[in-house]
Amino acid sequence: MDFFDHAVRARLRARAHTAMLAAAALAGVVFFPLLTHAAPTVGAPAPDFALKDLAGRNQRLSEFRGEVVVLTFWASYCGPCRTALQSAATAVTAAAGAPVVLGVSLDRDVARATSVAASLGLEFPSLLDAGQSVSRLYDVQHLPLTLLIDREGTVRQAWARDPVPAEVLIRNIRELDL
């Protein structure tokens, strides 16, 4: 009988160890993305990228070095993104030393992104990130995401989820021009 008790205890111990390992693996899968979240950091250099605009021309962020850049990530299915794009458009016309505005659409469908850009009357380039490589590079978790990048290519402000009001964006652009 002693042999069977030892075997039963060994099986129970093995099951307990297996359950603990499974729980640890599950916790790692759940919490690792939260711990490694690399959202755009204010004060860090903006990662360079190249995308095609809706007209099919290549645009590279580094080509705008020396200018203030407003970078707005958006998608056609995102209602607040329309307000963010309109704020960026207002900033272009109202801010002294007009900043460069680049919209980055996460839509996979060029026609849909083009339709939204046309309906809003956007006069700045909208870039198509259909493969979502740039949105991964910038770790876009929530739309809209608007970044203000200074003349040296450093992220100075970041607004996520809620569209940044045009007056706040203009004020921050003017502060960079001082």
Side-chain angles (χ1 to χ4, degrees), residues 52-68:
K52 289 192 181 294
D53 62 22
L54 296 178
R57 294 180 301 267
N58 284 328
Q59 302 278 348
R60 181 175 290 280
L61 180 62
S62 59
E63 291 173 357
F64 301 104
R65 187 70 43 93
E67 300 185 51
V68 174

Side-chain angles (χ1 to χ4, degrees), residues 56-87:
R57 294 180 301 267
N58 284 328
Q59 302 278 348
R60 181 175 290 280
L61 180 62
S62 59
E63 291 173 357
F64 301 104
R65 187 70 43 93
E67 300 185 51
V68 174
V69 176
V70 176
L71 185 64
T72 301
F73 290 87
W74 63 280
S76 62
Y77 55 82
C78 169
C81 292
R82 295 169 192 260
T83 305
L85 291 169
Q86 290 169 331
S87 291

Side-chain angles (χ1 to χ4, degrees), residues 23-37:
L26 180 62
V29 167
V30 170
F31 292 110
F32 182 74
L34 299 175
L35 297 174
T36 60
H37 181 70

Side-chain angles (χ1 to χ4, degrees), residues 11 17-18 38 48 53 70 74 90 97 111 119 136 147 169 177:
R11 275 195 301 265
H17 287 193
T18 302
D48 192 24
D53 62 22
V70 176
W74 63 280
T90 301
S119 72
R136 279 193 302 275
L147 302 172
L169 187 56
D177 282 337

Side-chain angles (χ1 to χ4, degrees), residues 70-73 84 88 144-148 157-160 162-164 169:
V70 176
L71 185 64
T72 301
F73 290 87
L145 172 64
T146 301
L147 302 172
L148 181 60
Q157 293 288 337
W159 297 272
D162 297 319
V164 57
L169 187 56

Side-chain angles (χ1 to χ4, degrees), residues 134-147:
V134 175
S135 63
R136 279 193 302 275
L137 180 65
Y138 279 80
D139 195 26
V140 176
Q141 298 290 319
H142 304 285
L143 291 175
L145 172 64
T146 301
L147 302 172

